[in-house]
């Protein structure tokens, strides 16, 4: 009886484990993940160890299991082969694109088009199967192409700046010559044609924006000089009308100002009717009457609508400003908490801060938004402090960059002061050369005086900026030297 029981146990085990193996093999064949399929077979194999079975049954189960293993291993090897072949094919295709990018970067015709192509090639690396050594080689070559195109861009920018300086010198010489002719010649039509010609040269020449603006400013001054000389010829004919117009214009502007500011609306209306009667009885020209009539009409409309309209406009504008600023402040606060672009974030917060100046807001709205903005500044300052505490070695580099920026700004300011001083001297010389006293109160001359005053104020402001920049540069240099001294006094560590 004992041998029969022992054989019964082995037979029972076969009945139990044969369906399990069959199920495991079927499950492994159905799964798409070959490594998971192999794990299923390994688990089934582990289940047979130590289990009592007839030798022929064990051999049968092992044979079926090994056949399944061989099939899975064959599929795995085929998959590896296909992946390898795909990687080689991808390398061949991408290598052509990288070489094309390298060639374009070395021989750029359109920088923006080439840059976009490099970005397109760079995007091809994502989700593309490659061997590691192939990926590293191609990507390194692509980065070299990026470096080349950046170098070409910088070189082109420098050449443009150099050409701008040459064009500036030539155009300044032309302007100086025409300004001298304006002071001596009475050929107003010919002078105007020359100015228009210079204007076209300025428009078509390669110039930086600052240089173009400076030249256009001098050109406009030359046009003003020409108009003054033209006005001087016709001053006697228009003098009486101009004098009356200036008086009426001043009174009209004052009435318009009162219409915008005064709450005594009855008095403003009485003043309007009085000046209307005087203008009708005057000898003003049609264009002068129309100019005054427009301002008087504006005064009427302002008096009639201002009281209600101002409040409505203020509330509407304050509401819109609040919604717009709230979005900016929320965005600034988020950037202050999350962004690692500290400089850009600080500039953005400063931009938001500048938006508060002169903008219409309810008091509580302004205080709420400004408080949140200050919180953003505090958060950013704390993050920047922590960052630079960890990156103290970069401090001197940043300070040197700041020092370089300040010196560049100082140089540009001094250049601007020299140019504006020369421009002011030209205007003052021309003003002194006007011999006819009757011209001194014409509209053009008053505009010239205003231009000279504006230039003088601008020069003084820039001189103050120069002094402030020099102080800041001195202080910055002192801080850099002080930091170097502190670093040298500390014990050196590995």
């Amino acid at each position: 009886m004992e041998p029969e029981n022992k054989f019964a146990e082995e037979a029972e085990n076969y009945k139990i484990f044969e369906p399990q193996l069959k199920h495991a093999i079927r499950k492994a064949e159905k799964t798409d993940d070959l490594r998971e399929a192999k794990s299923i077979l390994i688990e089934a194999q582990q289940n047979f160890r130590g289990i009592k079975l007839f030798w022929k049954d064990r051999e049968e189960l092992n044979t079926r299991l090994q056949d399944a293993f061989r099939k899975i291993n064959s599929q795995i090897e085929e998959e590896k082969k296909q992946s390898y072949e795909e990687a080689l094919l991808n390398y061949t295709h991408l290598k052509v694109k990288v070489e094309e990018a390298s060639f374009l970067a070395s021989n750029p015709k359109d920088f923006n088009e080439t840059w976009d192509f490099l970005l397109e090639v760079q995007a091809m690396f994502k989700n593309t199967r490659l061997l590691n050594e192939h990926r590293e080689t191609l990507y390194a070559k692509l980065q070299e192409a990026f470096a080349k195109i950046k170098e070409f861009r910088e070189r082109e920018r420098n050449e443009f700046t150099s050409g701008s300086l040459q064009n500036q010198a030539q155009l300044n010489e032309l302007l100086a010559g025409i300004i001298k002719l304006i002071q001596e010649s009475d050929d107003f039509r010919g002078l105007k044609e020359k100015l228009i010609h210079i204007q076209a040269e300025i428009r078509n020449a390669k110039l930086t924006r600052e240089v173009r603006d400076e030249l256009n400013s001098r050109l406009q001054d030359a046009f003003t000089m020409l108009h003054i000389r033209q006005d001087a010829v016709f001053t006697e004919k228009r003098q009486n009308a101009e004098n009356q117009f200036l008086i009426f214009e001043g009174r009209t502007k004052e009435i318009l100002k009162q219409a915008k500011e005064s709450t005594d609306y009855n008095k403003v209306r009485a003043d309007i009717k009085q000046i209307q009667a005087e203008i009708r009885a005057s000898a003003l020209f049609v264009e002068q009457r129309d100019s005054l009539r427009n301002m008087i009409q504006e005064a009427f409309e302002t008096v009639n609508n201002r009281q209600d309209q101002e409040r409505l406009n203020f509330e509407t504008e304050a509401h819109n400003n609040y919604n717009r600023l709230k979005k900016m402040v929320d965005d600034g606060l988020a950037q202050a908490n999350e962004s690692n672009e500290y400089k850009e974030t600080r500039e953005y917060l400063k931009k938001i801060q500048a938006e508060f100046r002169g903008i219409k807001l309810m008091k509580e709205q302004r205080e709420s938004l400004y408080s949140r903005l200050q919180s953003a500044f505090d958060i950013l300052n704390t993050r920047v402090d922590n960052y630079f505490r960890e990156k103290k070695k970069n401090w001197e580099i940043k300070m040197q960059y700041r020092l370089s920026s300040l010196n560049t700004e100082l140089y540009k300011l001094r250049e601007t002061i020299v140019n504006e001083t020369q421009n002011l001297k030209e205007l003052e010389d021309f003003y002194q050369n006007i011999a006819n006293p009757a011209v001194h109160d014409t509209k053009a001359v008053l505009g010239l005086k205003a231009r000279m005053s504006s230039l003088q104020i601008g020069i003084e402001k820039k001189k103050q900026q120069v002094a402030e920049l020099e102080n800041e540069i001195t202080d910055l240099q002192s801080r850099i030297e002080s930091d170097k001294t502190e670093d040298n006094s500390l014990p050196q560590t590995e």
Side-chain angles (χ1 to χ4, degrees):
M1 293 298 294
E2 288 183 1
E4 290 180 0
N5 291 336
K6 182 177 181 180
F7 294 152
E9 180 183 358
E10 292 169 343
E12 184 64 26
N13 286 341
Y14 177 79
K15 290 180 181 179
I16 293 173
F17 289 105
E18 192 278 336
Q20 292 182 3
L21 176 61
K22 185 177 181 180
H23 174 73
I25 292 173
R26 188 182 299 112
K27 183 178 179 182
E29 289 175 345
K30 289 182 178 180
T31 182
D32 294 330
D33 188 338
L34 298 177
R35 287 167 178 75
E36 181 183 353
K38 194 169 184 179
S39 298
I40 293 171
L41 296 180
I42 291 173
E43 182 180 355
Q45 188 180 47
Q46 294 294 332
N47 291 336
F48 287 98
R49 292 182 179 175
I51 302 300
K52 293 181 178 181
L53 291 168
F54 290 117
W55 179 85
K56 64 175 183 176
D57 292 340
R58 186 180 298 277
E59 283 299 307
E60 176 200 344
L61 296 179
N62 279 331
T63 299
R64 290 166 64 184
L65 185 62
Q66 292 306 314
D67 288 342
F69 269 120
R70 278 191 293 273
K71 186 177 179 181
I72 295 298
N73 288 333
S74 176
Q75 290 176 334
I76 291 174
E77 288 302 318
E78 182 63 25
E79 185 182 77
K80 287 181 179 180
K81 180 180 178 183
Q82 291 176 356
S83 296
Y84 180 77
E85 291 175 350
E86 180 185 354
L88 291 181
L89 184 63
N90 290 338
Y91 170 72
T92 302
H93 173 71
L94 194 56
K95 183 174 181 290
V96 173
K97 291 292 184 180
V98 171
E99 288 176 349
E100 182 180 356
S102 181
F103 175 79
L104 290 175
S106 300
N107 306 275
K109 294 182 179 179
D110 186 317
F111 289 113
N112 291 333
E113 184 177 329
T114 302
W115 185 264
D116 290 341
F117 181 74
L118 264 61
L119 292 177
E120 180 182 338
V121 175
Q122 187 179 52
M124 293 179 180
F125 281 83
K126 295 180 180 178
N127 300 323
T128 298
R129 179 171 289 167
L130 290 169
L131 300 180
N132 288 337
E133 60 270 20
H134 289 169
R135 183 181 296 276
E136 292 172 359
T137 301
L138 292 180
Y139 200 80
K141 191 168 185 179
L142 181 63
Q143 293 310 306
E144 290 177 2
F146 273 111
K148 286 181 182 178
I149 197 67
K150 289 178 182 177
E151 181 181 350
F152 274 113
R153 273 183 170 174
E154 184 63 27
R155 188 183 309 156
E156 184 184 62
R157 188 179 295 111
N158 292 336
E159 290 175 356
F160 182 85
T161 301
S162 176
S164 174
L165 292 175
Q166 294 178 2
N167 292 334
Q168 179 186 15
Q170 295 174 358
L171 290 170
N172 269 326
E173 185 176 350
L174 287 176
L175 281 171
I178 195 67
I179 288 172
K180 184 178 180 181
L181 286 175
I182 289 173
Q183 296 172 349
E184 300 171 352
S185 173
D186 292 334
D187 183 11
F188 301 128
R189 177 175 295 181
L191 291 171
K192 187 173 183 179
E193 289 177 355
K194 290 181 179 180
L195 287 175
I196 292 174
H197 176 71
I198 294 176
Q199 188 177 46
E201 289 198 37
I202 293 174
R203 182 171 56 251
N204 297 325
K206 288 185 177 181
L207 298 166
T208 62
R209 179 177 295 180
E210 295 79 6
V211 170
R212 194 183 305 278
D213 291 344
E214 177 191 340
L215 291 171
N216 279 326
S217 177
R218 292 195 66 200
L219 179 67
Q220 291 306 313
D221 291 338
F223 272 114
T224 301
M225 293 179 189
L226 180 62
H227 294 157
I228 290 172
R229 294 215 60 214
Q230 286 179 305
D231 289 343
V233 176
F234 304 103
T235 294
E236 292 182 0
K237 293 182 180 180
R238 301 181 61 89
Q239 192 65 58
N240 184 48
E242 286 290 344
N243 290 340
Q244 289 188 41
F245 176 76
L246 290 174
I247 294 172
F248 282 126
E249 184 183 42
R251 290 175 58 192
T252 303
K253 287 182 177 179
E254 180 60 28
I255 290 173
L256 182 57
K257 180 181 178 183
Q258 291 301 314
K260 294 177 179 179
E261 300 175 356
S262 175
T263 56
D264 191 350
Y265 302 117
N266 291 332
K267 181 179 183 305
V268 174
R269 291 190 179 93
D271 291 341
I272 290 173
K273 291 178 181 178
Q274 175 65 29
I275 198 170
Q276 280 181 320
E278 293 180 23
I279 290 173
R280 281 194 294 269
S282 69
L284 294 176
F285 291 100
V286 174
E287 66 271 19
Q288 294 170 331
R289 293 175 185 272
D290 290 341
S291 175
L292 296 173
R293 187 180 297 113
N294 289 336
M295 286 192 288
I296 291 172
Q297 183 63 30
E298 182 181 356
F300 262 125
E301 294 173 356
T302 301
V303 168
N304 292 333
N305 300 325
R306 179 169 59 88
Q307 198 167 21
D308 293 334
Q309 192 63 39
E310 281 183 352
R311 178 173 296 278
L312 178 61
N313 289 344
F314 179 85
E315 292 176 352
T316 301
E317 187 174 350
H319 177 73
N320 293 336
N321 289 337
Y322 173 76
N323 289 337
R324 180 173 63 85
L325 275 181
K326 184 176 183 298
K327 292 180 181 178
M328 295 178 69
V329 170
D330 290 342
D331 185 42
L333 191 58
Q335 290 189 34
N337 277 293
E338 301 169 2
S339 176
N340 292 327
E341 299 295 335
Y342 301 119
K343 182 178 179 181
E344 288 78 2
T345 301
R346 185 178 300 281
E347 290 302 319
Y348 183 60
L349 293 180
K350 288 181 179 179
K351 176 183 176 183
I352 299 173
Q353 189 178 51
E355 290 286 331
F356 281 82
R357 300 190 185 104
I359 197 171
K360 292 180 180 180
L361 285 172
M362 297 294 185
K363 181 179 179 182
E364 59 274 13
Q365 293 174 338
R366 184 184 298 274
E367 291 176 352
S368 172
L369 291 178
Y370 205 82
S371 175
R372 299 193 69 207
L373 179 61
Q374 288 302 121
S375 297
F377 270 112
D378 293 339
I379 291 169
L380 180 62
N381 289 337
T382 299
R383 293 183 66 215
V384 169
D385 288 342
N386 291 337
Y387 174 82
F388 281 105
R389 191 175 294 116
E390 297 295 328
K391 303 288 183 179
K392 191 173 186 299
K393 291 181 181 179
N394 292 332
W395 182 88
E396 183 176 352
I397 295 174
K398 293 181 182 294
M399 292 300 100
Q400 290 292 352
Y401 176 79
R402 174 61 178 160
L403 186 61
S404 175
S405 297
L406 291 174
N407 280 315
T408 299
E409 185 177 353
L410 181 61
Y411 173 80
K412 290 181 179 179
L413 271 177
R414 286 173 174 166
E415 284 284 301
T416 302
I417 290 172
V418 170
N419 292 335
E420 291 186 356
T421 302
Q422 177 63 29
N423 193 9
L424 178 61
K425 185 176 183 306
E426 291 174 355
L427 296 180
E428 289 175 342
D429 290 344
F430 178 74
Y431 179 76
Q432 294 298 326
N433 290 333
I434 297 175
N436 187 352
V439 183
H440 286 183
D441 290 329
T442 64
K443 186 175 181 180
V445 171
L446 292 173
L448 178 61
K449 289 180 180 180
R451 171 65 177 160
M452 290 189 295
S453 175
S454 176
L455 276 173
Q456 184 63 48
I457 292 172
I459 290 169
E460 293 301 322
K461 286 183 178 179
K462 290 180 178 65
K463 286 181 178 180
Q464 178 64 30
Q465 291 174 353
V466 166
E468 292 173 356
L469 282 175
E470 288 174 343
N471 290 336
E472 187 173 353
I473 288 171
T474 301
D475 178 64
L476 191 56
Q477 289 174 333
S478 175
R479 290 175 59 196
I480 292 173
E481 291 302 321
S482 175
D483 186 75
K484 287 182 178 178
T485 302
E486 290 179 4
D487 288 345
N488 291 334
S489 65
L490 292 175
Q492 298 299 314
T493 59
E494 292 295 323

